[in-house]
Each structure stands twice: as C-alpha cells, then as structure tokens.
Amino acid sequence: MNKVFCLEDSWEKLIHEIASCTKCPLHLSRKNPVPGEGDVNSPVLIVGEAPGRTEDETGRPFVGAAGHFLTELLYSIGVDRSKVYITNVVKCRPPENRDPTDEEVAACSPYLVRQIKLIKPKAIIALGRHSARFLYQLAGLKWTSMTREHGKVRSVEILGLKVKLVATYHPASALYNPGLRDEIEKDFKGSIRQVVEEAFGKQAEGLLKYMKK
C-alpha cells in the first residue's frame, strides 16, 4: 500500500513539474505540455518524438492523424492503447511541427528518464529517429539510421532495467510517405508484436484478446 502511494506521489510530482517547465524556449509557444497517458503500470512503453498541433491543443499524446494510425497499429496486434503508456522525448510542441533540436531533447529528456524509472517497462518501442537515437544512447548503443535499425529487437539495459528495445518509423512519416506504411505495419506485426507478447507474459492471453492469428 505504501509502495503504491509513493509511486503515485512521485508520478504526480513529475507531471506537475512537466506542466510548469520553463527549461527551454518551447514553453513560450506551447498551449499545453504533453506528459503522456496510459497505464503507468504497463510493461510496455511507447516513446515518440514531440507533440504536434492536436496534441498541443489537447495535452494528450498521439491524438492527431498520426495518433489514429498508432491506435490502428496497436489494434492490429491486439493491444488497446489504454494498456500501454505513451509519451514523447520532448513534452512541448516545436513550432510548425519541426524536429526537436538537440538542445530541446537535452532539456526535456530527464523527464523521460524519470518516467522510465517509475514505470519500469519490460519493452520500449521507439517511434522516430529522435526517440530511437536517445534511447539507444541510454542503452549504450550506437545509433546509425532508421533504415538499418527499424524492426530489430535489442536486448539492453536502460537505467538498470533489462529491456527489449525496438525502433520503427514514426507513424507521421507514413502520412507523408505512404511507402513507409508497409514497413511500419511489418515491424508492428513482427518484432513489436513479439516483444509486446513477451512483456505482458501471462497477461497476454487476456489483454491481447483481439490478436490476429
């Protein structure tokens, strides 16, 4: 009971800090910070790059067009998005949806580090090269490119946790480059499905009830 209370207390403190953060200039143009959402006790963590316009307006991650595609991808492997935790490396929207800068990632990434420590995931799915590069660095791996790395399962240690790490293209990339859609879908139905099933373990039969055979 005390352990649960301490976890919730630490989580609430973290969310409050993100909401009031002024560590980089992005706070000047944001409407809402986007800490993340989902099950904080989930064994699966999904990490994107930064919020877009709809996310900035709502304060929720992956709720625009790319978010709808992510929800479809999760459903295709039998997972309701409420059963995982979804966040971004950068918690505030970069103007005009540009890529986050190295300085913005450096300023904001400590929040993600704290989220990982609190959630203690068994599997982390990195969406997009900025997310993947940061998580590879945490794992002590050299990042090359998404072309080479997508879909590969890496058994790594991140912040003292043994984790299965898989990177794939950001769902938004499929909206601008339809040719990538097949690659993302293959990654989800292949290696990502594999690590998600392993992470949920005995829970998988009940939680992944829509899993396609």
Side-chain angles (χ1 to χ4, degrees):
M1 187 74 171
N2 289 336
K3 185 177 180 180
V4 173
F5 175 78
C6 290
L7 173 62
E8 292 177 347
D9 183 55
S10 297
W11 191 264
E12 289 176 0
K13 179 181 178 183
L14 174 56
I15 298 302
H16 175 74
E17 288 182 29
I18 294 171
S20 57
C21 182
T22 58
K23 290 182 179 179
C24 80
L26 292 182
H27 79 277
L28 298 172
S29 58
R30 75 183 180 210
K31 292 182 179 178
N32 291 290
V34 184
E37 72 174 17
D39 184 353
V40 298
N41 295 307
S42 178
V44 178
L45 174 64
I46 297 178
V47 184
E49 298 182 329
R53 183 179 64 182
T54 308
E55 290 76 15
D56 180 54
E57 291 173 349
T58 62
R60 299 177 57 210
F62 284 92
V63 290
H68 292 310
F69 183 35
L70 175 60
T71 300
E72 291 175 9
L73 289 166
L74 289 169
Y75 185 83
S76 76
I77 62 169
V79 181
D80 187 290
R81 63 179 282 161
S82 68
K83 299 300 182 182
V84 301
Y85 194 83
I86 304 173
T87 189
N88 290 293
V89 176
V90 173
K91 312 302 188 190
C92 295
R93 180 197 182 197
E96 306 302 322
N97 287 5
R98 62 163 172 73
D99 288 346
T101 65
D102 289 344
E103 292 75 18
E104 289 160 358
V105 171
C108 205
S109 56
Y111 294 130
L112 175 60
V113 167
R114 290 167 63 187
Q115 287 177 315
I116 293 172
K117 288 180 177 179
L118 286 169
I119 295 171
K120 295 180 173 58
K122 295 179 180 178
I124 301 179
I125 314 303
L127 303 179
R129 68 184 186 279
H130 296 287
S131 169
R133 182 176 63 179
F134 176 75
L135 289 164
Y136 265 54
Q137 289 173 348
L138 276 186
L141 299 177
K142 181 181 179 181
W143 175 252
T144 55
S145 68
M146 189 61 76
T147 302
R148 292 184 177 183
E149 299 295 337
H150 79 93
K152 293 182 179 179
V153 179
R154 302 289 191 180
S155 297
V156 299
E157 186 172 304
I158 293 179
L159 305 172
L161 302 170
K162 292 183 179 180
V163 174
K164 294 292 180 66
L165 174 62
V166 183
T168 191
Y169 296 95
H170 195 284
S173 64
L175 304 179
Y176 306 106
N177 184 354
L180 292 178
R181 187 181 184 98
D182 286 344
E183 296 294 332
I184 299 172
E185 290 177 343
K186 287 177 183 177
D187 286 345
F188 265 83
K189 293 178 180 179
S191 56
I192 292 175
R193 172 176 172 166
Q194 172 191 329
V195 300
V196 167
E197 284 186 302
E198 290 178 0
F200 278 114
K202 292 181 180 180
Q203 303 176 58
E205 184 176 349
L207 291 174
L208 312 184
K209 61 183 178 179
Y210 300 113
M211 186 71 70
K212 293 184 177 180
K213 304 297 183 182

Coordinates of all heavy atoms in Angstrom, one line a residue, residues 18-19 26-27 29-35 51-60 91-93:
I18 N 6.5 18.8 -15.2 CA 6.4 19.0 -16.7 C 5.4 20.1 -17.0 O 5.7 20.9 -17.9 CB 5.9 17.6 -17.3 CG1 7.0 16.6 -17.1 CG2 5.6 17.8 -18.8 CD1 6.5 15.2 -17.5
A19 N 4.3 20.2 -16.3 CA 3.3 21.2 -16.6 C 3.8 22.6 -16.4 O 3.3 23.5 -17.0 CB 2.0 20.9 -15.7
L26 N 10.5 26.3 -25.8 CA 9.3 25.7 -26.3 C 8.1 26.1 -25.4 O 7.0 26.1 -25.8 CB 9.4 24.2 -26.4 CG 10.3 23.7 -27.5 CD1 10.2 22.2 -27.6 CD2 9.9 24.3 -28.9
H27 N 8.4 26.4 -24.1 CA 7.3 26.7 -23.2 C 6.6 28.0 -23.5 O 5.5 28.3 -23.2 CB 7.8 26.7 -21.7 CG 8.5 28.0 -21.4 ND1 9.8 28.2 -21.6 CD2 8.0 29.1 -20.7 CE1 10.2 29.4 -21.2 NE2 9.1 30.0 -20.6
S29 N 5.7 29.0 -26.5 CA 4.8 28.9 -27.6 C 3.8 27.8 -27.4 O 2.8 27.7 -28.2 CB 5.5 28.7 -29.0 OG 6.3 27.5 -28.9
R30 N 3.9 27.0 -26.4 CA 3.0 25.9 -26.2 C 1.7 26.3 -25.7 O 1.5 27.4 -25.0 CB 3.6 24.9 -25.2 CG 3.5 25.4 -23.8 CD 4.2 24.4 -22.8 NE 4.0 24.9 -21.4 CZ 4.9 24.7 -20.5 NH1 6.0 24.0 -20.7 NH2 4.7 25.2 -19.3
K31 N 0.6 25.6 -26.0 CA -0.7 25.7 -25.4 C -0.8 24.8 -24.2 O -1.3 25.2 -23.1 CB -1.8 25.4 -26.4 CG -1.9 26.4 -27.5 CD -3.1 26.1 -28.4 CE -3.2 27.1 -29.6 NZ -4.3 26.7 -30.5
N32 N -0.4 23.6 -24.4 CA -0.4 22.6 -23.3 C 0.9 21.7 -23.4 O 1.2 21.2 -24.5 CB -1.6 21.7 -23.4 CG -2.9 22.4 -23.1 OD1 -3.1 22.8 -21.9 ND2 -3.7 22.6 -24.1
P33 N 1.5 21.4 -22.3 CA 2.6 20.4 -22.3 C 1.9 19.0 -22.4 O 0.7 18.9 -22.1 CB 3.2 20.5 -20.9 CG 2.2 21.1 -20.0 CD 1.3 22.0 -20.9
V34 N 2.6 18.0 -22.9 CA 2.0 16.7 -23.1 C 2.9 15.7 -22.4 O 3.8 15.1 -23.0 CB 2.0 16.4 -24.6 CG1 1.3 15.1 -24.9 CG2 1.3 17.5 -25.4
P35 N 2.6 15.4 -21.1 CA 3.4 14.5 -20.3 C 3.3 13.1 -20.8 O 4.3 12.3 -20.8 CB 2.8 14.6 -18.9 CG 2.0 15.9 -18.9 CD 1.5 16.1 -20.3
P51 N 5.2 16.5 -29.4 CA 3.7 16.7 -29.7 C 3.6 17.4 -31.0 O 4.4 18.3 -31.4 CB 3.2 17.5 -28.5 CG 4.2 17.3 -27.5 CD 5.5 17.1 -28.1
G52 N 2.4 17.2 -31.7 CA 2.0 18.0 -32.8 C 0.9 19.0 -32.5 O 0.7 19.2 -31.3
R53 N 0.3 19.6 -33.4 CA -0.7 20.6 -33.2 C -1.9 20.1 -32.3 O -2.3 20.7 -31.3 CB -1.3 21.2 -34.5 CG -2.3 22.3 -34.3 CD -2.7 22.8 -35.6 NE -3.5 21.8 -36.4 CZ -4.0 22.0 -37.6 NH1 -3.8 23.2 -38.2 NH2 -4.7 21.1 -38.2
T54 N -2.5 19.0 -32.7 CA -3.6 18.4 -32.0 C -3.2 18.1 -30.5 O -4.0 18.3 -29.6 CB -4.2 17.2 -32.7 OG1 -4.5 17.5 -34.0 CG2 -5.5 16.8 -32.0
E55 N -2.0 17.5 -30.4 CA -1.5 17.2 -29.1 C -1.3 18.4 -28.2 O -1.6 18.4 -27.0 CB -0.2 16.4 -29.2 CG -0.3 15.0 -29.8 CD -0.5 14.9 -31.3 OE1 -0.3 16.0 -31.9 OE2 -0.9 13.9 -31.8
D56 N -0.8 19.5 -28.8 CA -0.6 20.7 -28.1 C -1.9 21.3 -27.7 O -2.0 21.9 -26.6 CB 0.2 21.7 -29.0 CG 0.4 23.0 -28.4 OD1 1.0 23.1 -27.3 OD2 0.1 24.1 -29.0
E57 N -2.9 21.2 -28.5 CA -4.3 21.7 -28.1 C -5.0 20.9 -27.0 O -5.7 21.5 -26.2 CB -5.1 21.7 -29.4 CG -4.7 22.7 -30.4 CD -5.5 22.6 -31.8 OE1 -6.2 21.6 -31.9 OE2 -5.3 23.5 -32.6
T58 N -4.7 19.6 -27.0 CA -5.4 18.7 -26.1 C -4.6 18.3 -24.8 O -5.2 17.9 -23.8 CB -5.9 17.5 -26.8 OG1 -4.7 16.7 -27.2 CG2 -6.8 17.8 -28.0
G59 N -3.3 18.4 -24.9 CA -2.4 18.0 -23.8 C -2.3 16.5 -23.8 O -1.8 15.9 -22.8
R60 N -2.7 15.8 -24.9 CA -2.6 14.3 -25.0 C -1.7 13.9 -26.1 O -1.7 14.5 -27.1 CB -4.0 13.7 -25.2 CG -5.0 14.0 -24.1 CD -6.3 13.4 -24.4 NE -6.2 12.0 -24.7 CZ -7.0 11.3 -25.5 NH1 -7.9 11.9 -26.3 NH2 -6.9 10.0 -25.7
K91 N 8.3 17.1 -24.5 CA 6.9 17.2 -24.0 C 6.1 18.4 -24.5 O 4.9 18.5 -24.3 CB 6.9 17.3 -22.4 CG 7.8 16.2 -21.8 CD 7.4 14.8 -22.1 CE 8.1 13.8 -21.3 NZ 8.0 12.4 -21.7
C92 N 6.8 19.3 -25.2 CA 6.1 20.5 -25.7 C 6.3 20.6 -27.3 O 7.3 20.1 -27.8 CB 6.6 21.8 -25.1 SG 6.3 22.0 -23.3
R93 N 5.3 21.1 -27.9 CA 5.3 21.1 -29.4 C 6.4 22.1 -30.0 O 6.3 23.3 -29.6 CB 3.9 21.5 -29.9 CG 3.9 21.6 -31.5 CD 2.7 22.3 -32.0 NE 2.6 22.3 -33.4 CZ 1.9 23.2 -34.1 NH1 1.1 24.1 -33.5 NH2 1.9 23.1 -35.5

